[in-house]
Amino acid sequence: EHTPYWRALVELASESALGQAKVVAFTPPDAHGFATDGLNGHAKERLDVLELDRGALASLAAAEAVIRDADCEDDTFTVIAPELNFLWRRITRPLGV
């Protein structure tokens, strides 16, 4: 039922001027598999599914809330960024690695 949504996102990524753009999706580790069955090979290649535990998801939510409510987003992001290093390393990993 969500396949058209993911196909549209992957299509946008493939048209990106960045060349190696990808779509990153988050899922809890106890989920019963991320439904990629309806996606073709090209779409699967551009979709990076990250399994994040509750602690990692909580860190993301907290960081987003703090940045959103900050007076100076740049300064706040500079302080928070090291705490999210685990996520940056995974998101910025090239496709197919």
Side-chain angles (χ1 to χ4, degrees):
E1 73 191 59
H2 300 294
T3 301
Y5 171 79
W6 292 110
R7 282 187 183 153
L9 282 179
V10 169
E11 185 65 29
L12 285 174
S14 66
E15 295 171 359
S16 171
L18 298 175
Q20 287 295 323
K22 64 181 177 180
V23 174
V24 178
F26 303 110
T27 184
D30 57 351
H32 298 292
F34 194 84
T36 58
D37 296 338
L39 301 176
N40 64 23
H42 174 72
K44 286 183 182 181
E45 291 171 6
R46 294 235 179 228
L47 181 61
D48 189 8
V49 180
L50 280 70
E51 291 185 357
L52 298 178
D53 62 22
R54 286 177 162 259
L57 290 171
S59 293
L60 283 176
E64 191 274 332
V66 168
I67 291 170
R68 182 185 62 236
D69 296 340
D71 292 330
C72 179
E73 290 181 4
D74 291 339
D75 291 344
T76 304
F77 186 76
T78 300
V79 172
I80 291 174
E83 301 300 321
L84 299 174
N85 193 39
F86 72 94
L87 184 63
W88 305 137
R89 282 194 313 258
R90 175 62 195 272
I91 288 175
T92 59
R93 184 168 50 189
L95 291 166
V97 175

